[in-house]
Amino acid sequence: MNAHFVTSDDTSDNNNRDGTTWITCYVGLGSNLENELGSPVEHLQQAIKTMREHEQIRTVRVSSFYASVPMGPQDQPDFVNAVAGFDTTLTAFELLSFCQALEQQAKRARLRRWGERSLDVDILLYGDNEISEPQLTIPHAGLYERNFVLMPLRELAPELIILNKPIANYPPSNDWTGLKLLELN
């Protein structure tokens, strides 16, 4: 896979002086279920705060928040979605465990497939890596079809190349159907 992130402050060397390699990653965040810990927006904000506090994660960048219609059953509230990009020294499987811990911190309960949830955190991209394991697929399997992922990802990384194709060339990255930009205080 050819996925890379280019910004004006990007450097070709993503290693520390001590030899530690930092990998640029993107995760999708979604929530549509309020619980005693907060609203969907608050669940995303808490997950982002926890990312920023993690010693093996740096330079956390976050897209705008978007409201989106549910992809699955329609008898549930709209989702709040965002994408976070950051550099990490965590392995892909360590990052998966961290994402699952974020979901548990928000008291995620899996009620039904594509159903409501207090927090969903999916690894979208992990550097240029392709992983196909029973518990982890990178790039994320639905990445190319979901505007509620591609729109915020394109906002964060407009020059991103995925599978030798600019993100702007994936039609859902330009499709506002079912999406609304949220104005947050």
Side-chain angles (χ1 to χ4, degrees):
M1 180 189 86
N2 181 15
H4 65 273
F5 178 71
V6 180
T7 65
S8 57
D9 62 344
D10 196 21
T11 62
S12 58
D13 182 42
N14 211 16
N15 296 328
N16 276 354
R17 290 188 183 125
D18 67 1
T20 304
T21 300
W22 291 84
I23 305 291
T24 300
C25 302
Y26 295 93
V27 297
L29 303 158
S31 174
N32 73 337
L33 190 61
E34 187 169 329
N35 63 20
E36 68 275 12
L37 299 176
S39 69
V41 167
E42 290 168 329
H43 290 308
L44 268 60
Q45 290 170 331
Q46 180 58 46
I48 292 161
K49 179 179 182 284
T50 302
M51 286 176 201
R52 287 189 166 128
E53 293 170 348
H54 196 289
E55 65 185 23
Q56 289 181 271
I57 294 175
R58 69 179 186 191
T59 60
V60 177
R61 302 164 305 281
V62 182
S63 72
S64 301
F65 284 22
Y66 295 76
S68 66
V69 297
M71 189 173 91
Q74 297 299 299
D75 64 338
Q76 60 181 316
D78 285 353
F79 276 83
V80 176
N81 295 101
V83 168
F86 52 83
D87 299 325
T88 186
T89 58
L90 295 170
T91 67
F93 287 95
E94 289 169 338
L95 181 57
L96 175 63
S97 293
F98 175 70
C99 292
Q100 290 170 339
L102 290 173
E103 293 173 346
Q104 291 308 308
Q105 181 180 320
K107 294 192 175 181
R108 174 173 174 168
R110 297 178 191 269
L111 305 175
R112 57 184 169 162
R113 180 174 169 84
W114 291 335
E116 47 280 293
R117 59 203 70 175
S118 56
L119 184 64
D120 188 32
V121 184
D122 292 326
I123 303 171
L124 304 174
L125 297 168
Y126 182 83
D128 290 338
N129 293 280
E130 286 187 62
I131 300 171
S132 183
E133 295 290 334
Q135 66 274 39
L136 182 61
T137 301
I138 297 175
H140 188 278
L143 174 66
Y144 316 106
E145 307 156 355
R146 300 175 179 170
N147 66 344
F148 61 87
V149 174
L150 284 173
M151 292 281 290
L153 180 58
R154 182 176 175 195
E155 176 190 332
L156 271 187
E159 303 300 320
L160 188 69
I161 306 294
I162 306 169
L163 298 177
N164 296 315
K165 185 175 173 180
I167 190 169
N169 289 357
Y170 288 93
S173 75
N174 299 291
D175 181 5
W176 281 93
T177 305
L179 284 182
K180 184 176 101 180
L181 194 59
L182 293 179
E183 301 288 333
L184 302 178
N185 298 331

